[in-house]
Structures are given as structure tokens and as C-alpha cells.
Amino acid sequence: LKVKVLLVLGHELCGAVKAAMLPHEVLEKEPPQLEQALKIIKAGLTQERFDNMRDSRALDRESVTTNVKQQVERLGRDKGIMD
């Protein structure tokens, strides 16, 4: 990309993160590119700590934060971004 800084942002009540938390069967009904993007997000959200969260706002906040961290890690492994 030839940029010095890449900024990854997240926001509360993110529809993509909320959708990614749906069952795989539901995601498979989406158009292929959207399905793939949601499954990438979902892969980072499979941690057990989400199973015990009862506060929906806390779950939302933690899910969005986790997604941002996962995307930063993913970008850091991408040779096209890091070279």
C-alpha cells in the first residue's frame, strides 16, 4: 500500500459483527463475498468468553473490540500490506 500508517476502527452496535455471530447456516444464505467476510469475522469471535456474557452491551463491546484486534493481527500477517 505504500502508506506509513493503517488505522483499524470499530464501533459499537456494528451490524457486521452482530451478523457474524449468527449460525453458519444463516451466513451461508448470504451472497458469497458477504458470507466470506462474515465468516472471517466469525472466526475471531469463537472464544468461549462470549458464551457466558449476559449483558448485551458488554457482549457487543467485547465482540467489536475482539474483531478490531483480530483484523489488526490479520493485516500484520498480510505480505501485501506489510511490504
Side-chain angles (χ1 to χ4, degrees):
L1 290 174
K2 301 198 188 295
V3 297
K4 294 180 181 185
V5 177
L6 186 62
L7 185 63
V8 179
L9 301 172
H11 61 93
E12 290 187 8
L13 304 174
C14 177
V17 171
K18 185 175 180 179
M21 296 179 82
L22 295 171
H24 279 281
E25 299 79 33
V26 175
L27 301 183
E28 290 169 354
K29 294 178 183 175
E30 296 296 336
Q33 290 179 323
L34 178 57
E35 175 190 357
Q36 181 183 8
L38 293 174
K39 285 183 175 180
I40 289 170
I41 294 171
K42 185 177 190 69
L45 300 176
T46 57
Q47 299 157 2
E48 292 178 2
R49 69 175 173 221
F50 298 124
D51 294 338
N52 298 323
M53 295 186 100
R54 302 288 178 243
D55 180 344
S56 62
R57 293 290 286 185
L59 175 61
D60 175 66
R61 222 173 290 114
E62 189 64 27
S63 300
V64 169
T65 301
T66 299
N67 180 53
V68 168
K69 291 176 183 176
Q70 292 292 326
Q71 297 307 321
V72 168
E73 288 178 18
R74 187 168 175 257
L75 290 168
R77 292 189 304 267
D78 187 319
K79 299 266 189 227
I81 301 286
M82 299 308 291
D83 289 343

